[in-house]
């Protein structure tokens, strides 16, 4: 009987080991919102109306699209943004705008009426397996009074390009952090321009 019980115990342990090996890798959710952004809050200043952010269709998916060393693209099932990429970008940008520049989301409760509208078109959002991330696109700032016209044609509109390259090292947490740095660079460029515009200063594309 003891021999039989021992055999059952060994068999049960083997089944558990096999099940553990067969278990799928854990799902990792990442965000573009900086972890310390909420702790840093600049005095409230001008408000901005941030239009929906456009991204290439292939990137409008929470699952990561990674560029492999051979140039091919791979869709990762177990590394995902916590929400669709346009929503992640919007949340991160608004958080950094508020925390570093005091620029308030015009849609938030109690916010003053927006004087400016910002539009962002992301044309490239690369995540490379070797540790490099690249974010490129165009952003435009225009008076809300002219918001019904395209941002590039509205009177007083400013149109700027951006291109950020960050080296992250390897691993998905490091790649997510590099993307957060690049998004923060974009928020800093927009925030500085909005603050300058609110003060009546010249609005130029940051260099």
């Amino acid at each position: 009987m003891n021999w039989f019980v021992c055999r059952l115990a060994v068999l049960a342990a083997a089944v558990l080991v096999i099940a553990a090996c067969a278990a799928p890798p854990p799902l990792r959710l990442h965000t573009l919102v900086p972890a310390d952004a909420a702790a840093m809050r600049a005095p409230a200043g001008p408000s901005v109306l941030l239009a929906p952010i456009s991204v290439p269709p292939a990137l409008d998916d929470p699952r990561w699209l990674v560029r492999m060393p051979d140039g091919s693209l791979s869709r990762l099932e177990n590394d995902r943004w916590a929400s669709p990429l346009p929503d992640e970008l919007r949340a991160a940008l608004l958080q950094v705008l508020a925390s570093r520049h005091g620029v308030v989301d015009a849609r938030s409760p109690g916010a003053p009426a927006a004087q400016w509208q910002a539009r962002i078109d992301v044309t490239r959002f690369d995540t490379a397996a070797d540790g490099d991330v690249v974010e490129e696109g165009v952003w435009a700032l225009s008076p809300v009074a002219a918001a019904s016209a395209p941002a590039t044609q509205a009177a007083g509109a400013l149109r700027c390009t951006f291109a950020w390259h960050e080296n992250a090292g390897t691993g998905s947490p490091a790649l997510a952090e590099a993307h957060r740095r690049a998004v923060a660079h974009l928020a800093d460029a927009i925030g500085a321009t909005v603050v300058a515009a609110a003060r009546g200063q010249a609005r130029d594309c940051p260099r």
Side-chain angles (χ1 to χ4, degrees):
M1 178 63 69
N2 289 339
W3 175 84
F4 181 70
V5 172
C6 289
R7 287 292 302 271
L8 283 179
V10 170
L11 180 60
V15 170
L16 289 175
V17 170
I18 293 172
C21 293
L27 177 64
R28 293 177 293 269
L29 297 178
H30 308 275
T31 182
L32 290 174
V33 178
D36 59 349
M40 302 181 298
R41 180 67 62 173
S47 64
V48 65
L49 189 64
L50 182 58
I53 298 172
S54 70
V55 300
L59 296 173
D60 196 5
D61 188 315
R63 296 173 300 170
W64 280 20
L65 188 64
V66 174
R67 189 176 301 278
M68 307 307 291
D70 62 1
S72 64
L73 297 175
S74 177
R75 182 77 72 183
L76 302 187
E77 293 294 336
N78 297 305
D79 282 292
R80 306 185 182 194
W81 297 115
S83 58
L85 184 56
D87 296 340
E88 282 291 316
L89 287 166
R90 177 183 178 80
L93 288 165
L94 289 173
Q95 188 73 270
V96 176
L97 284 170
S99 63
R100 295 187 183 180
H101 304 278
V103 176
V104 181
D105 176 14
R107 292 188 173 91
S108 61
Q115 293 178 291
W116 306 97
Q117 174 169 285
R119 301 185 185 184
I120 302 170
D121 295 322
V122 176
T123 57
R124 185 178 180 188
F125 194 91
D126 267 12
T127 306
D130 62 6
D132 286 336
V133 304
V134 178
E135 297 179 15
E136 297 178 356
V138 178
W139 63 271
L141 189 68
S142 60
V144 168
S148 58
T152 54
Q153 300 176 9
L158 179 69
R159 183 178 184 273
C160 306
T161 60
F162 64 90
W164 311 112
H165 174 232
E166 293 282 338
N167 183 266
T170 57
S172 57
L175 288 166
E177 176 59 29
H179 273 301
R180 283 192 289 271
R181 292 196 301 268
V183 172
H185 293 328
L186 175 58
D188 285 338
I190 296 173
T193 306
V194 171
V195 170
R199 293 173 178 171
Q201 300 171 352
R203 295 178 291 115
D204 297 314
C205 293
R207 296 181 179 179

